[in-house]
């Protein structure tokens, strides 16, 4: 069970990162002005696994600066796996979401904050009633900066005692991503009345909207 001060702790950790990574501002040149003008076309990618990808997708679709979220599979050995394959737990793949975001509107550090706040990163291969290696908590980093930030954030959260148990989130290099079948995409928005959406996904979305109200689209 998470401690009540987890949100405050997460914010402090993010503030630490922002301070540590801040760069000295310089007078903008013509080149930097052009970069700012074209910043809307800049995108980076994050890949997170935090249980059922329907839940992860629904949360990050709400976040300002996120331009696209695709549900799929990553981290395993089977090529072009199906949902049925992944559900066996034998492919090595996790259900993940590939998140494309504009770094001028939302930072990777802020995505990490939402990631750790919206699932339980202390349970091995389980989120609620969803059990199996395909539901593991995992960050697949796309570059050394993402790896460094994820490891620092995880260490700081463990040291702070934000959770009652140690964080077991794996931080692994990204290799390949297989998009899930079409019926898995945009699932919550298209199936909001389904029981799983009502009883599992909706509470997560409601919590996200309340806690991260300043980061909503």
């Amino acid at each position: 069970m998470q401690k009540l001060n987890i949100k405050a702790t997460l914010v402090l950790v993010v503030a630490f990162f922002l301070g540590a990574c801040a760069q000295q501002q310089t007078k903008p040149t013509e080149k930097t002005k052009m970069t700012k003008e074209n910043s809307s076309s800049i995108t980076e990618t994050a890949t997170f696994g935090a249980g059922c990808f329907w839940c992860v997708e629904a949360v990050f679709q709400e976040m300002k600066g996120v331009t696209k979220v695709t549900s799929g599979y990553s981290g395993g050995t089977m090529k072009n796996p199906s949902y049925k394959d992944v559900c066996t737990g034998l492919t090595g793949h996790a259900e993940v979401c590939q998140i494309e975001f504009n770094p001028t509107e939302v930072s990777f550090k802020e995505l990490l904050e939402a990631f750790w706040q919206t699932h339980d990163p202390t349970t091995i291969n389980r989120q609620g009633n969803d059990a199996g290696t395909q539901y593991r908590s995992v960050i697949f980093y796309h570059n050394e900066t993402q790896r460094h930030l994820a490891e620092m954030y995880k260490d700081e959260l463990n040291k702070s005692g934000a959770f009652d148990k140690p964080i077991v989130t794996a931080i692994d290099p990204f290799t390949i991503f297989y998009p899930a079948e079409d019926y898995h995409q945009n699932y919550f928005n298209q199936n909001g009345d389904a029981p799983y959406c009502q009883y599992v996904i909706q509470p997560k979305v409601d919590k996200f909207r309340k806690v991260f109200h300043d980061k909503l689209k």
Side-chain angles (χ1 to χ4, degrees), residues 94-141:
E95 289 193 14
V96 301
C97 280
Q98 192 97 299
I99 301 164
E100 296 179 23
F101 63 99
N102 185 330
T104 66
E105 296 182 29
V106 62
S107 68
F108 183 71
K109 296 179 286 293
E110 291 172 311
L111 295 179
L112 287 174
E113 181 186 4
F115 168 77
W116 267 304
Q117 176 72 0
T118 52
H119 82 294
D120 184 354
T122 69
T123 54
I124 298 176
N125 300 331
R126 174 182 289 275
Q127 286 297 309
N129 292 325
D130 294 326
T133 57
Q134 67 270 32
Y135 298 116
R136 64 188 182 273
S137 176
V138 59
I139 297 167
F140 291 108
Y141 60 85

Side-chain angles (χ1 to χ4, degrees), residues 78-99:
M78 178 180 282
K79 294 182 179 179
N80 300 308
S82 67
Y83 181 67
K84 184 178 180 179
D85 292 329
V86 174
C87 283
T88 67
L90 301 176
T91 67
H93 288 293
E95 289 193 14
V96 301
C97 280
Q98 192 97 299
I99 301 164

Side-chain angles (χ1 to χ4, degrees), residues 6-7 10-11 14 59-60 62-64 106 109-119 153 204-217:
I6 181 173
K7 172 58 179 174
L10 286 165
V11 170
V14 170
V59 166
F60 282 97
E62 300 265 314
M63 200 164 190
K64 181 169 55 180
V106 62
K109 296 179 286 293
E110 291 172 311
L111 295 179
L112 287 174
E113 181 186 4
F115 168 77
W116 267 304
Q117 176 72 0
T118 52
H119 82 294
Y153 204 153
K204 286 180 177 285
V205 172
D206 290 343
K207 177 183 178 182
F208 177 80
R209 289 172 177 169
K210 181 178 180 180
V211 176
F212 293 93
H213 59 88
D214 58 332
K215 293 181 173 63
L216 298 177
K217 291 180 178 177

Side-chain angles (χ1 to χ4, degrees), residues 6-171:
I6 181 173
K7 172 58 179 174
T9 305
L10 286 165
V11 170
L12 288 174
V13 173
V14 170
F16 167 78
F17 284 147
L18 291 173
C21 298
Q23 297 179 352
Q24 183 177 359
Q25 293 184 349
T26 58
K27 185 177 180 179
T29 62
E30 288 302 317
K31 185 176 181 180
T32 59
K33 288 179 181 178
M34 289 178 64
T35 300
K36 289 180 180 180
E37 290 173 359
N38 297 327
S39 62
S40 61
S41 63
I42 298 173
T43 59
E44 294 183 11
T45 303
T47 305
F48 296 149
C52 175
F53 47 27
W54 296 342
C55 298
V56 181
E57 178 191 64
V59 166
F60 282 97
Q61 283 180 329
E62 300 265 314
M63 200 164 190
K64 181 169 55 180
V66 171
T67 58
K68 184 178 181 181
V69 183
T70 306
S71 293
Y73 318 109
S74 193
T77 56
M78 178 180 282
K79 294 182 179 179
N80 300 308
S82 67
Y83 181 67
K84 184 178 180 179
D85 292 329
V86 174
C87 283
T88 67
L90 301 176
T91 67
H93 288 293
E95 289 193 14
V96 301
C97 280
Q98 192 97 299
I99 301 164
E100 296 179 23
F101 63 99
N102 185 330
T104 66
E105 296 182 29
V106 62
S107 68
F108 183 71
K109 296 179 286 293
E110 291 172 311
L111 295 179
L112 287 174
E113 181 186 4
F115 168 77
W116 267 304
Q117 176 72 0
T118 52
H119 82 294
D120 184 354
T122 69
T123 54
I124 298 176
N125 300 331
R126 174 182 289 275
Q127 286 297 309
N129 292 325
D130 294 326
T133 57
Q134 67 270 32
Y135 298 116
R136 64 188 182 273
S137 176
V138 59
I139 297 167
F140 291 108
Y141 60 85
H142 288 254
N143 52 55
E144 283 301 298
T145 298
Q146 288 189 1
R147 180 192 65 78
H148 179 65
L149 290 173
E151 290 179 349
M152 282 184 62
Y153 204 153
K154 179 179 175 180
D155 288 345
E156 289 298 321
L157 287 174
N158 276 328
K159 290 176 183 178
S160 71
F163 296 91
D164 290 333
K165 295 181 292 183
I167 293 173
V168 298
T169 303
I171 301 173

